[in-house]
Amino acid sequence: MLLLLVACSSGGQVAESELEPSLTGDNEIVYALALQPASFDHHVARSPQVGIVLRQVYDTLVYREQRTGAFIPGLAVDWSVSADGLEYTFLLREGVTFHDGTRFDAIAVGVNLERILELDGYAAALLGPYAGYEIVDGQTIRIRMTEPYAPLLDVMSQYYFGMASPLALSEVSTPRYQFHHVGTGPYRYVDFIPGQFVRLELNENYTGGGSIYDVESRNPPERIEFIFEDDPQLRADALATGEVDIAGQLSPSAARSLAVNANVQVVPVPIAGQTNMFLMNTQTFPTDSAIVRQALLFGTNRAEIQDSIFEGFVQPAWGPISGGTLFYSRELTGAFDYDIQQARDLLESAGYEDTNEDGIFELDEVDLTVTLLVQPGGRFEEIARMLVDQWRIIGVGAVVEFRPTQSSLEVAVAEGAYNLVSVSNSGVDPFFLADYLASDSPLNWIGVSDPALDDVVRASIQAQDINIRATAFVQMQRYMMNEALILPITEVVVVNGVRTGITALPYDVYGWYPLMYNMALVSQDGS
């Protein structure tokens, strides 16, 4: 099945400049995904695995340029925002058709928006203060908001807002649509057998993506087969033996073992958005004390976690968002660096002492013990286990409670019996920080309530002036660290592996999603 063989130099690597890609007419890529999500409907699901596949099938109204992050045309060739920030008007690209031949127009966009709201999934949540839409003419649509919402263009660039064919949506039931995707993108959806594969084929008449897709000097595969393999070692083994061409989300140990394989390239991809971090509960003893929260930060050895769990593929994190995210504040670098003595001094200054000499501080005969709630993904469970050992050195006991699903995590949070909780989010625009800090947010698991902070949060979401937003986000990052409201651990990096016969595999600005249409392949004879 695999038709990509590697032309190796004496060092076993292929230099792109030495190769001239040649389409054989039979090129096929096999891509091993990390898991099969419960839903494969992009208007409902949140999983990056869904996006890896469906980013190829659907176009969005706008895109973010890969290098600068600037908004560029997609299915919309132009757009404007009203002075009050309440209306976004999109002029749509002419001559675009869905894979089933249906015309793309303003009505199609309206149908998609209605479906997203009806399904009430993650995409609907991203719309924020959405009020509705107006069809201005056949190729112009206006989206209205109840209050200014600066992240809307960013939202519209994400795969959750891939435009689906109205005809296809009308022909199958909502639960069945995940087996019948019809978009305008560079690849057509062929078939999906749950537990086995998703297959796509090249759209030879593609016109919808604007400048994000530059296929000059490229050689995209004619067919792509995505298979599901939740065991990271098996994904790595399949890549090493040539059973697959791309393996996503390699474990650090598997990536290290593949790094010496001349037929494989290990590709670490930084993910824009939130760092691997924990929110601290300010409403529950003992993390209701800022001194205790600060001690936990000083008592966290990020470098040890970086080396032991991630084997050096990530960098330590010093705040709530990663360096590749808009409005990242470098002033936090080095904040609360590992200092055992500082951690112990802080606790002793707050009256904690180890009266029974068991290695754990007490206050009024109550042990200084914290509870961590941990969700799947991000290696959070391993991180938490290491934190248990690290914090014992500073006299803090810790208990880890694993929650296998997001819903079970939310139930535990609602009960309130936790001190730290792992959270995960991604995105170029860090507007998700508002969910953690706004007094009235259901995701304010920190428990902070500060009217002055609410004003800053509001500015970060509503201001159209990018300088005002930048100032607000820097203030939010500073506040979170000054008050020790979070425990940042590492930046987020996804390590993928590709056959060296693939000489270019660019990713979009969000980091998760490869742009397969911009891929360059090498033919069997290396010519």
Side-chain angles (χ1 to χ4, degrees):
M1 175 180 292
L2 299 181
L3 302 175
L4 301 183
L5 301 182
V6 180
C8 295
S9 65
S10 59
Q13 295 296 319
V14 180
E16 185 171 356
S17 61
E18 298 174 351
L19 301 170
E20 295 192 13
S22 172
L23 185 65
T24 66
D26 297 313
N27 288 340
E28 177 171 299
I29 288 293
V30 180
Y31 192 129
L33 297 171
L35 55 86
Q36 179 179 314
S39 169
F40 229 85
D41 190 323
H42 63 305
H43 289 166
V44 178
R46 187 178 180 178
S47 170
Q49 309 302 310
V50 176
I52 290 169
V53 177
L54 296 186
R55 177 56 100 182
Q56 324 307 322
V57 175
Y58 291 102
D59 288 311
T60 49
L61 295 185
V62 297
Y63 284 103
R64 280 191 180 273
E65 202 274 333
Q66 298 98 302
R67 292 170 295 278
T68 67
F71 294 111
I72 58 177
L75 288 173
V77 295
D78 198 8
W79 54 88
S80 61
V81 185
S82 62
D84 59 9
L86 296 179
E87 294 183 344
Y88 288 71
T89 303
F90 296 90
L91 176 63
L92 306 179
R93 191 178 297 274
E94 298 273 4
V96 176
T97 58
F98 290 97
H99 299 152
D100 61 3
T102 303
R103 176 188 173 190
F104 170 74
D105 56 14
I107 293 175
V109 177
V111 168
N112 277 264
L113 290 170
E114 290 172 2
R115 182 176 193 264
I116 286 168
L117 264 293
E118 180 182 347
L119 292 176
D120 196 25
Y122 183 63
L126 289 177
L127 279 174
Y130 174 80
Y133 68 88
E134 172 191 352
I135 303 293
V136 179
D137 59 43
Q139 295 302 119
T140 309
I141 188 167
R142 181 171 295 131
I143 296 176
R144 299 190 305 273
M145 315 302 289
T146 60
E147 59 186 45
Y149 189 54
L152 186 66
L153 286 178
D154 179 83
V155 166
M156 288 295 163
S157 75
Q158 299 190 47
Y159 88 89
Y160 313 105
F161 288 82
M163 293 291 113
S165 162
L167 177 61
L169 293 175
S170 69
E171 288 182 337
V172 296
S173 66
T174 297
R176 294 291 302 169
Y177 183 72
Q178 64 182 311
F179 306 105
H180 300 277
H181 290 281
V182 180
T184 62
Y187 284 88
R188 301 173 182 271
Y189 193 84
V190 178
D191 54 7
F192 172 27
I193 298 181
Q196 295 188 38
F197 57 76
V198 180
R199 288 177 177 156
L200 311 181
E201 65 180 19
L202 192 64
N203 176 12
E204 299 288 356
N205 301 313
Y206 180 61
T207 58
S211 59
I212 194 173
Y213 293 118
D214 175 13
V215 295
E216 290 187 15
S217 303
R218 299 303 188 201
N219 181 24
E222 291 188 344
R223 289 177 295 278
I224 309 171
E225 179 174 286
F226 296 91
I227 63 171
F228 307 105
E229 179 49 71
D230 59 6
D231 187 315
Q233 189 58 55
L234 291 180
R235 289 197 300 278
D237 292 345
L239 180 63
T241 59
E243 296 173 68
V244 304
D245 300 288
I246 305 172
Q249 291 179 258
L250 298 173
S251 67
S253 59
R256 288 289 174 204
S257 67
L258 287 172
V260 298
N261 187 326
N263 294 330
V264 173
Q265 303 170 70
V266 174
V267 185
V269 184
I271 303 299
Q274 182 185 299
T275 56
N276 284 321
M277 74 181 195
F278 294 82
L279 303 179
M280 298 221 208
N281 185 357
T282 65
Q283 302 299 308
T284 301
F285 176 84
T287 48
D288 56 346
S289 164
I291 288 179
V292 171
R293 300 195 300 269
Q294 292 167 2
L296 294 176
L297 280 160
F298 280 119
T300 298
N301 189 339
R302 296 175 179 85
E304 182 182 40
I305 293 172
Q306 171 192 359
D307 292 340
S308 299
I309 296 177
F310 296 98
E311 299 193 25
F313 281 105
V314 301
Q315 296 298 315
W318 306 105
I321 59 177
S322 68
T325 308
L326 286 177
F327 315 121
Y328 170 73
S329 176
R330 298 187 182 279
E331 72 178 45
L332 301 176
T333 301
F336 294 101
D337 202 1
Y338 186 47
D339 191 330
I340 294 173
Q341 192 58 53
Q342 178 79 338
R344 293 184 67 90
D345 289 348
L346 280 169
L347 294 173
E348 289 174 353
S349 73
Y352 284 94
E353 55 184 342
D354 184 10
T355 58
N356 59 9
E357 298 183 351
D358 66 349
I360 301 298
F361 280 122
E362 312 107 38
L363 183 67
D364 299 328
E365 299 183 352
V366 177
D367 281 349
L368 176 50
T369 301
V370 296
T371 299
L372 299 93
L373 295 180
V374 177
Q375 61 180 320
R379 313 295 290 271
F380 278 119
E381 189 169 13
E382 294 169 76
I383 294 170
R385 300 295 180 195
M386 187 165 284
L387 291 174
V388 171
D389 295 333
Q390 292 181 356
W391 288 344
R392 189 166 188 88
I393 297 172
I394 64 169
V396 178
V399 176
V400 179
E401 295 185 4
F402 180 71
R403 294 292 182 266
T405 64
Q406 180 69 19
S407 59
S408 65
L409 182 78
E410 292 172 359
V411 169
V413 167
E415 294 171 351
Y418 68 96
N419 299 105
L420 297 97
V421 55
S422 67
V423 287
S424 178
N425 225 316
S426 63
V428 174
D429 189 313
F431 64 92
F432 52 80
L433 290 184
D435 289 334
Y436 304 143
L437 296 176
S439 298
D440 59 353
S441 170
L443 294 178
N444 181 355
W445 296 347
I446 295 171
V448 64
S449 180
D450 183 334
L453 178 62
D454 285 338
D455 290 340
V456 175
V457 169
R458 192 173 301 111
S460 76
I461 297 297
Q462 296 188 358
Q464 295 298 313
D465 187 326
I466 193 169
N467 294 313
I468 294 175
R469 295 194 74 210
T471 298
F473 278 112
V474 169
Q475 290 176 318
M476 290 159 66
Q477 293 170 73
R478 186 182 299 150
Y479 186 96
M480 294 175 89
M481 294 313 299
N482 286 348
E483 299 297 321
L485 300 180
I486 65 167
L487 173 63
I489 303 294
T490 68
E491 303 252 328
V492 180
V493 173
V494 169
V495 183
N496 299 324
V498 300
R499 296 284 302 277
T500 49
I502 300 169
T503 63
L505 180 59
Y507 293 79
D508 74 2
V509 71
Y510 295 94
W512 277 109
Y513 313 117
L515 301 176
M516 308 292 279
Y517 196 49
N518 282 359
M519 181 185 291
L521 309 182
V522 181
S523 65
Q524 186 170 356
D525 61 6
S527 62

